[in-house]
Amino acid sequence: EALPIGRIQFDRCRMYGREEHIAKLQGALHRVNKKSQNQGDNHTEFVLIDGLSGSGKTVLATSVQGDVERAPKGAFLQGKFDLAVREEPYSALASAFQDLCGQASDILGKEAFDQFQEETAKNLDPQELGFLHIIIPSLSRIVPVPTTSTETDAHVRNSFKMNDQKKLLHSGFVKFIRLAGATFCPLVIFLDDLQWADVSSVDLLKVLISNKVNTNLMVIGSYRSNEVKEDLLEMIDDLRMRQNGTAGSTRQSLKREESRRLSGLPNQDVGTNLTLTELSLGNLSVECVQDLIMDLLSLEEESITMPLAQLLHRRTLGNPNFLKTFITCLYDDKLLSFNMGKMKWTWDLSAIEKSSSATDNVVDLTRRGIQKNTSEEMHHLLLCVACLGNICGLKHIRMIWMKSSVGGGADRSEALLQELLDKSVEQMFLEQIGQSQFRYSHDAVKEAVISLIPKTNFDTLLQKVGGILFEELSEEELEAMLFLVADLLHASDSKDPVKLAQLLLRAAHKAKGVSAYSSASFYAIHGIKQLPQMWEGDENIQLAVRLHSIAAEAERGLGNLPQAKLLCETIIGQSQVSVFDKLQAHKILIDILVHEQNFFISLEYCLEHLGETIGCHFQRGKTGMKVAAFLSIQQMKKRKSILSNEEIDDLPMMTEPTRLFGIELMQTATLSAFYAGEPILMLNVLTRRIQWSLKYGFHPSLGSAYATMAAVFMHVIGDWGRGRRMAEAAVHVGQRASALGRSSHWERDVIVRLLFLVYPWTQPARSIPTQMITGYKSCMIQGDVDSAFKILVGHFFNQILSGQRLEEVEADARGYSEQIASLKYDKWFYLLGLVGQAALNLMGKTENTTFLEVDETDPGDWQMCYQLQYVKRFLYAHFGEYKTGAKNSMTYGWRWIGAYPGMYFGYDMFHQAICHYQEAIHAARNEPLNACKPPKSKSPLALHKKHAYKCHADIESWVKRGAPNHVHHLSILKAERATLSSCSKKIEPKKVCKLYETAIVDSVRGGFVNHAAIAEEHYADYLWGVGEKDEGIYHLENAIQRFSEWGAVRRVEMLR
């Protein structure tokens, strides 16, 4: 029996009819290997293999595994999606990278492994690592779990906006895969059975596909062509569009493409770095079956084997796995045998045709083989393995084997278990992976095993296996297998439904924690079903509220807002549920209203519940609101409303639940009132938030309230002294909150408000970049990606406004654009693109000066509209197109000023004033001499003077209050006004010259080389006009030199 003669040996056979497919797969691998040799050459190969079950997709995909693993640092990762645990998020990707983390040190060697560890720790943010460790526990072998990933860190993660949480997770995965691709050459990831992929995995794959900077990666995905889901089809369509260069047809994608082009960036949405190879596997032809038979039976005469090949083809239709199973059955049934006397294979065609006529498919055939060749114990073992997911360990097989039973008094010895496992592997029902893991050799075998018992019996076994795991696993093991256990038990008729519901809640919470909202909803909804009397008894009520709440949050994350509202309303409508327990449902409903931009409804909802639930009422009539606002401001002007650092530290913590909920309601009401155009009500709510902290105890939102009130006092009331003190108090509140581990989004609100609404008016522009970058990093670490990118865009606007070298600003902006684009934050990508376009225009790197090629594109967002027009006015002022700039100012310049006194507003006022002064000077010099003049109030001179004087007056008032970044602006505008007055000879030229010289000195002293250049240019123009041509030429040359220092090559060319 040790001799191979007379045995069916499929391992001696090759793949038949797949030569072209193999060549294409090898070609994709060759391209990745070639690109990996060229450092800096990023390339992704995506191979999709489709076909019916049993067509050989897995065999084809793994045919390159040997080539990959023979490479010095090659890594072939394999993960399989499983229908039985379809709700487990990221299951195949997690399995693949679990293996990579476990094998990395062996593949790389110590030096390369140490470098991989160092690069991973350096490039991934702590929050990204925190999310990845949840999905890939063995990542700890490469990078330890961040020390901040404690209960406090979990609290911070739970406070993330849903969109930011998901994008952080995606960003972490993309970065880790990119680093792995740069380290393992080549890196090949094979994901089997994509048709069973969970929604979260498909979303992540879409992000991976769209990422421009994947490093030499090859992804192979296989799926059954007759079982494709809609989300998988969408992903495949995206791949095809990128391959054809037609991706990005959506409005936002077009904006990204345009902004990239103007910023000198490669187009991420066109598939220049991705090659898609699609391989469709059909059935084998008769000729291929003939070749297989000849190789398998060691025969060379086609005439002998052709009748058998034709019969096998008729019975199996050429399906490779069906064919293999069919031949094995013929061998087992002695219909195909080796004659030792004749030393050749023999068969009886008529007997084969007669015995196999009733065979319908491979599952039927496999089932016959299992029934014939397995004992009751082996069948039970195979059923147990079928319950344990795609790959199961010997420890867990043993646990189920020992605790479950089949028949009466069956043997449960270790020896019998090992014997059955060995036989299962020998008969090719199972495959052994390593020393202690097993999996089914094919899905058809698993289906056949399960089909041998009634579905109800198998469902009972699933629940029994789940119950054994639930009871026997340690807490650590249960956490690792939580989704599997929850999948096994979710529909069971448990004797302890409360305990099961708690398990499902735990699974839902974990799924939500990694942005797998579909899975979270699934587990939570089934947990609800376990509690038919959920609104009776304190324990049931608490559990029901938590399940409904997490289901509502998950549905909200999926965009199923009606279902989310229904779940919240179910909680709110229960009289047995306390007011406190309803708070989370109210929060979710308010969040949905804000998400839908129903700010009026959100505002009324907050005010209603503040009044009815908490007893905190606000005046709603116009007169009442104004009186309340006046009294609130008077109260805030009192010294005791602005606490010192010591007083802030001495405040007791706010702990009463309804007060905490009230603070959050007021935070949302503040935001809603702002967007609903209710500034007086917003002011009343803000002051009430501060009063509550003084009265009821410290809350992190006090910092946000102080920061916003600082802006109100500075920009509305004009009291910059109190505004500065409130800003200082806001910073200290944030520091205390951070020290307590309670900062979350409140601290980020303080950072954003101060950086945009206070610091640009109180601190020198040169000191702001450090604070901006610190704020950006802080928001990224805390997971508020949106705020981080908002700060980053503000930083680059500040850089270009304050006269930083244009080349450096553009290069840095281009680098950060890659990160913003990879996470698909279209708004911030668009705005950063404006900075890049402006810099490129000034540098002469485009054909344009003031024209922005996005002019005809409606950004669709008021803030984006404002900044688009702002950048235009910035360019008009620097390129000398004052007439167009003044016209733009009168059309757009004042539209958003009252609502958005932000970082750019002060500079924008200066640029508008420059355009109006220059137009007024031009009009004064060319005033018509005939008698038919228009009325003075409507003349161009009067119109431009009016606008220029208003901007001038505002800037002068800021300087008087101590705004350091507008001192040189005021000096320049004084010189411009003097020039205008000189047109009517109301001022001596000597005084005008002195004002311009002061303006130039102030601009240089403040570091604003761009504004010094404008002052020099206008001074030269004035001197030329009064006949001082030599002096004018001198200052014009100075203007050219200063524009050169700034890097504005195009403006230099124009002046020359």
Side-chain angles (χ1 to χ4, degrees):
E1 289 196 0
L3 294 174
I5 297 175
R7 292 186 179 184
I8 297 292
Q9 300 177 66
F10 286 104
D11 55 357
R12 65 188 295 178
C13 299
R14 55 187 172 85
M15 283 186 283
Y16 300 91
R18 308 298 190 217
E19 291 77 15
E20 183 179 348
H21 302 87
I22 294 171
K24 289 182 178 180
L25 191 61
Q26 291 282 359
L29 180 60
H30 175 71
R31 287 191 294 273
V32 169
N33 280 326
K34 187 175 180 181
K35 291 287 183 180
S36 65
Q37 296 170 7
N38 303 324
Q39 293 187 1
D41 224 0
N42 297 326
H43 188 70
T44 301
E45 289 283 340
F46 209 111
V47 181
L48 283 174
I49 306 174
D50 72 272
L52 299 175
S53 175
S55 56
K57 302 182 291 296
T58 304
V59 175
L60 175 62
T62 54
S63 65
V64 297
Q65 183 172 356
D67 295 333
V68 172
E69 293 178 345
R70 278 191 290 272
K73 294 180 181 178
F76 186 93
L77 314 183
Q78 186 170 352
K80 179 181 173 65
F81 294 102
D82 193 328
L83 180 61
V85 286
R86 195 169 183 169
E87 293 303 327
E88 180 175 351
Y90 312 108
S91 57
L93 286 160
S95 174
F97 283 99
Q98 281 277 92
D99 290 343
L100 178 71
C101 295
Q103 301 170 17
S105 59
D106 295 333
I107 296 173
L108 296 174
K110 186 178 188 310
E111 183 177 348
F113 180 68
D114 290 345
Q115 184 177 355
F116 182 46
Q117 287 181 305
E118 182 181 341
E119 289 296 315
T120 304
K122 182 173 72 174
N123 285 278
L124 271 75
D125 293 330
Q127 295 302 336
E128 292 172 331
L129 283 171
F131 284 121
L132 288 184
H133 274 288
I134 296 173
I135 298 170
I136 313 170
S138 64
L139 182 62
S140 58
R141 300 184 184 182
I142 296 174
V143 182
V145 179
T147 54
T148 56
S149 289
T150 58
E151 183 179 347
T152 298
D153 190 56
H155 167 75
V156 172
R157 281 203 300 271
N158 288 333
S159 73
F160 291 168
K161 300 171 186 175
M162 283 187 166
N163 194 40
D164 285 342
Q165 176 178 314
K166 191 171 187 177
K167 289 186 176 182
L168 261 182
L169 174 65
H170 288 173
S171 172
F173 248 118
V174 167
K175 286 181 184 178
F176 184 61
I177 290 173
R178 185 191 310 159
L179 290 168
T183 304
F184 299 89
C185 301
L187 176 66
V188 180
I189 305 172
F190 170 42
L191 301 175
D192 203 359
D193 284 328
L194 283 172
Q195 76 278 356
W196 293 328
D198 58 285
V199 175
S200 303
S201 294
V202 175
D203 285 346
L204 179 55
L205 285 172
K206 288 178 181 177
V207 172
L208 185 61
I209 291 164
S210 66
N211 186 49
K212 168 69 185 173
V213 287
N214 292 327
T215 310
N216 306 317
L217 171 69
M218 182 173 176
V219 179
I220 307 173
S222 70
Y223 64 96
R224 294 185 183 182
S225 51
N226 60 334
E227 299 182 29
V228 188
K229 298 185 299 178
E230 184 176 349
D231 53 352
L232 179 59
L233 279 176
E234 289 178 4
M235 186 194 81
I236 295 170
D237 287 341
D238 286 346
L239 275 168
R240 289 168 180 162
M241 285 194 295
R242 290 204 63 213
Q243 172 72 3
N244 298 329
T246 59
S249 58
T250 66
R251 180 180 172 193
Q252 290 297 336
S253 295
L254 287 171
K255 289 179 189 173
R256 284 200 300 272
E257 291 174 23
E258 185 66 10
S259 189
R260 279 182 166 277
R261 185 177 68 79
L262 296 169
S263 303
L265 290 168
N267 188 346
Q268 178 172 337
D269 287 325
V270 176
T272 53
N273 72 312
L274 181 142
T275 302
L276 172 65
T277 304
E278 293 191 76
L279 306 176
S280 293
L281 302 187
N283 290 332
L284 303 181
S285 64
V286 174
E287 289 72 23
C288 290
V289 177
Q290 164 82 336
D291 291 342
L292 183 149
I293 293 298
M294 292 176 67
D295 289 346
L296 187 64
L297 305 183
S298 301
L299 296 173
E300 298 180 357
E301 298 180 31
E302 294 184 6
S303 59
I304 296 176
T305 57
M306 181 54 77
L308 177 60
Q310 290 173 336
L311 175 59
L312 294 179
H313 189 269
R314 286 199 306 273
R315 286 288 179 263
T316 65
L317 300 178
N319 180 281
N321 186 57
F322 195 175
L323 180 64
K324 176 181 174 181
T325 304
F326 193 86
I327 292 172
T328 302
C329 287
L330 294 181
Y331 177 77
D332 291 340
D333 293 341
K334 310 299 184 184
L335 296 173
L336 175 65
S337 59
F338 188 77
N339 189 313
M340 297 297 290
K342 298 180 179 180
M343 293 298 290
K344 67 177 183 179
W345 289 91
T346 61
W347 58 88
D348 185 338
L349 281 178
S350 60
I352 292 174
E353 190 157 5
K354 181 178 179 182
S355 66
S356 61
S357 58
T359 301
D360 294 324
N361 55 49
V362 67
V363 174
D364 290 338
L365 198 61
T366 305
R367 183 166 55 238
R368 283 175 45 201
I370 293 171
Q371 287 175 317
K372 183 174 181 179
N373 296 303
T374 62
S375 62
E376 187 179 10
E377 288 83 1
M378 181 183 286
H379 181 220
H380 182 71
L381 173 65
L382 292 174
L383 284 170
C384 291
V385 173
C387 297
L388 292 174
N390 177 40
I391 298 176
C392 49
L394 177 59
K395 176 181 178 180
H396 300 128
I397 295 174
R398 183 186 297 113
M399 181 186 297
I400 301 304
W401 171 255
M402 295 299 181
K403 292 290 181 177
S404 61
S405 60
V406 56
D411 183 6
R412 282 288 168 275
S413 66
E414 183 80 23
L416 177 60
L417 173 62
Q418 192 59 55
E419 178 186 342
L420 294 174
L421 284 171
D422 291 341
K423 286 183 178 179
S424 298
V425 172
E426 181 184 346
Q427 295 183 29
M428 294 185 293
F429 298 137
L430 300 179
E431 295 175 347
Q432 185 167 353
I433 306 169
Q435 295 295 318
S436 60
Q437 289 187 312
F438 296 85
R439 69 182 175 197
Y440 270 94
S441 59
H442 196 276
D443 291 331
V445 179
K446 186 174 181 179
E447 292 173 31
V449 168
I450 295 172
S451 69
L452 284 170
I453 63 173
K455 184 179 183 304
T456 53
N457 290 12
F458 184 64
D459 289 342
T460 301
L461 179 62
L462 286 172
Q463 295 165 18
K464 186 171 185 177
V465 169
I468 294 171
L469 293 173
F470 190 24
E471 296 296 331
E472 297 295 324
L473 291 174
S474 67
E475 186 63 25
E476 184 179 349
E477 290 174 320
L478 180 60
E479 181 63 23
M481 300 179 68
L482 182 60
F483 293 126
L484 172 64
V485 178
D487 283 333
L488 291 170
L489 291 175
H490 72 269
S492 67
D493 185 12
S494 175
K495 295 179 180 178
D496 190 347
V498 172
K499 190 174 182 180
L500 177 54
Q502 290 169 339
L503 173 74
L504 292 169
L505 174 64
R506 182 175 169 182
H509 193 270
K510 183 176 181 179
K512 177 180 158 292
V514 291
S515 304
Y517 301 124
S518 178
S519 300
S521 175
F522 175 86
Y523 294 129
I525 294 298
H526 279 84
I528 292 169
K529 292 178 180 178
Q530 288 292 328
L531 300 173
Q533 297 179 333
M534 65 184 78
W535 305 117
E536 297 178 9
D538 290 343
E539 184 179 13
N540 281 3
I541 290 174
Q542 292 290 328
L543 185 55
V545 168
R546 293 180 67 191
L547 285 166
H548 278 79
S549 297
I550 202 166
E553 290 183 80
E555 293 294 337
R556 155 74 177 84
L558 292 168
N560 299 332
L561 302 187
Q563 179 65 14
K565 289 180 182 178
L566 181 61
L567 287 160
C568 291
E569 289 164 358
T570 300
I571 299 173
I572 295 168
Q574 300 300 322
S575 59
Q576 308 94 316
V577 180
S578 68
V579 172
F580 171 71
D581 289 333
K582 293 179 180 179
L583 298 185
Q584 183 63 21
H586 287 305
K587 290 179 188 178
I588 298 167
L589 279 177
I590 293 169
D591 181 56
I592 291 170
L593 291 171
V594 172
H595 175 77
E596 294 175 330
Q597 298 189 359
N598 291 325
F599 297 115
F600 288 101
I601 301 175
S602 170
L603 177 59
E604 293 300 328
Y605 192 97
C606 291
L607 296 178
E608 177 187 345
H609 285 283
L610 279 166
E612 292 183 0
T613 307
I614 300 174
C616 178
H617 300 278
F618 289 88
Q619 291 286 342
R620 295 296 285 122
K622 289 185 179 180
T623 303
M625 283 195 298
K626 289 180 180 178
V627 171
F630 174 78
L631 294 175
S632 296
I633 293 299
Q634 296 306 310
Q635 180 71 22
M636 291 301 299
K637 285 183 177 180
K638 295 180 180 179
R639 176 66 183 85
K640 66 179 182 180
S641 294
I642 308 174
L643 302 181
S644 66
N645 291 352
E646 293 76 15
E647 289 171 328
I648 291 171
D649 290 338
D650 290 340
L651 279 175
M653 291 298 299
M654 184 184 295
T655 56
E656 209 279 311
T658 55
R659 301 297 176 193
L660 294 170
F661 177 54
I663 284 287
E664 295 200 27
L665 282 177
M666 284 189 269
Q667 168 77 0
T668 305
T670 305
L671 176 70
S672 299
F674 173 78
Y675 284 112
E678 296 265 14
I680 296 176
L681 182 57
M682 183 189 81
L683 182 61
N684 290 335
V685 176
L686 271 173
T687 54
R688 189 74 61 87
R689 285 168 57 189
I690 294 173
Q691 291 165 6
W692 267 39
S693 284
L694 300 181
K695 185 176 181 180
Y696 299 117
F698 178 84
H699 189 277
S701 70
L702 176 61
S704 172
Y706 267 146
T708 308
M709 283 301 295
V712 170
F713 266 87
M714 290 177 64
H715 301 297
V716 179
I717 300 171
D719 189 340
W720 283 37
R722 283 188 174 82
R724 284 192 179 95
R725 291 203 301 274
M726 286 185 176
E728 291 167 0
V731 171
H732 193 73
V733 170
Q735 291 171 349
R736 181 182 175 188
S738 181
L740 293 171
R742 297 277 303 279
S743 56
S744 65
H745 61 283
W746 304 113
E747 182 185 17
R748 304 193 295 268
D749 285 345
V750 171
I751 292 170
V752 172
R753 282 165 172 74
L754 294 181
L755 286 175
F756 280 84
L757 302 177
V758 176
Y759 291 162
W761 309 87
T762 61
Q763 300 188 17
R766 295 287 179 172
S767 70
I768 293 177
T770 302
Q771 296 170 341
M772 284 279 188
I773 294 300
T774 301
Y776 161 76
K777 291 179 178 178
S778 176
C779 288
M780 285 298 288
I781 288 172
Q782 295 183 39
D784 189 350
V785 184
D786 190 68
S787 294
F789 288 157
K790 179 178 181 178
I791 292 171
L792 191 64
V793 170
H795 165 70
F796 282 107
F797 268 97
N798 179 71
Q799 292 290 83
I800 200 170
L801 291 169
S802 59
Q804 290 295 308
R805 283 279 303 174
L806 292 170
E807 186 177 359
E808 296 174 4
V809 173
E810 190 278 329
D812 289 345
R814 181 166 10 105
Y816 279 105
S817 289
E818 292 289 351
Q819 181 186 20
I820 296 176
S822 68
L823 291 173
K824 297 189 181 299
Y825 278 84
D826 296 320
K827 174 180 176 179
W828 303 121
F829 183 84
Y830 173 86
L831 294 177
L832 189 55
L834 291 179
V835 178
Q837 290 177 55
L840 290 169
N841 284 10
L842 287 161
M843 293 161 63
K845 296 295 182 71
T846 70
E847 298 297 321
N848 306 311
T849 53
T850 60
F851 180 72
L852 297 172
E853 296 191 29
V854 295
D855 279 1
E856 302 303 319
T857 304
D858 175 18
D861 177 275
W862 70 270
Q863 191 176 359
M864 294 163 73
C865 289
Y866 168 75
Q867 293 182 36
L868 169 62
Q869 300 304 326
Y870 164 73
V871 172
K872 288 183 179 182
R873 291 190 290 274
F874 166 79
L875 291 173
Y876 294 143
H878 285 85
F879 275 113
E881 295 190 13
Y882 305 119
K883 183 176 182 179
T884 312
K887 183 179 179 181
N888 180 287
S889 169
M890 289 186 284
T891 305
Y892 299 106
W894 299 91
R895 184 173 297 180
W896 296 285
I897 284 174
Y900 194 73
M903 170 179 290
Y904 325 113
F905 173 45
Y907 294 94
D908 191 27
M909 290 287 276
F910 169 71
H911 297 141
Q912 291 184 57
I914 284 290
C915 291
H916 284 297
Y917 266 129
Q918 285 296 305
E919 282 303 292
I921 292 167
H922 176 76
R925 288 173 177 172
N926 299 279
E927 189 84 339
L929 300 178
N930 56 34
C932 299
K933 295 181 180 180
K936 287 187 176 181
S937 61
K938 294 184 180 180
S939 69
L941 174 59
L943 194 61
H944 291 302
K945 281 174 66 175
K946 176 184 175 183
H947 283 282
Y949 287 175
K950 177 167 178 38
C951 294
H952 189 142
D954 284 343
I955 290 175
E956 188 169 19
S957 70
W958 300 336
V959 173
K960 286 180 180 178
R961 294 180 181 122
N965 298 318
H966 298 294
V967 172
H968 73 289
H969 288 161
L970 181 60
S971 297
I972 295 172
L973 294 183
K974 284 181 178 179
E976 295 287 288
R977 186 165 186 165
T979 301
L980 178 59
S981 297
S982 72
C983 294
S984 56
K985 300 183 180 180
K986 293 180 180 179
I987 191 168
E988 295 181 4
K990 186 182 291 187
K991 185 174 181 180
V992 176
C993 293
K994 185 175 181 180
L995 288 170
Y996 269 120
E997 288 166 1
T998 301
I1000 292 167
V1001 170
D1002 286 344
S1003 298
V1004 172
R1005 185 180 295 153
F1008 295 88
V1009 65
N1010 53 329
H1011 293 156
I1014 290 176
E1016 295 273 16
E1017 180 189 346
H1018 290 189
Y1019 188 16
D1021 180 65
Y1022 171 75
L1023 291 167
W1024 192 276
V1026 296
E1028 298 287 343
K1029 293 188 177 180
D1030 291 342
E1031 191 71 13
I1033 290 172
Y1034 170 76
H1035 283 284
L1036 181 61
E1037 289 174 347
N1038 283 351
I1040 290 172
Q1041 180 183 348
R1042 296 191 190 283
F1043 274 125
S1044 296
E1045 290 174 13
W1046 191 32
V1049 176
R1050 175 60 57 80
R1051 187 58 177 151
V1052 169
E1053 293 172 350
M1054 294 170 68
L1055 291 176
R1056 282 179 175 162

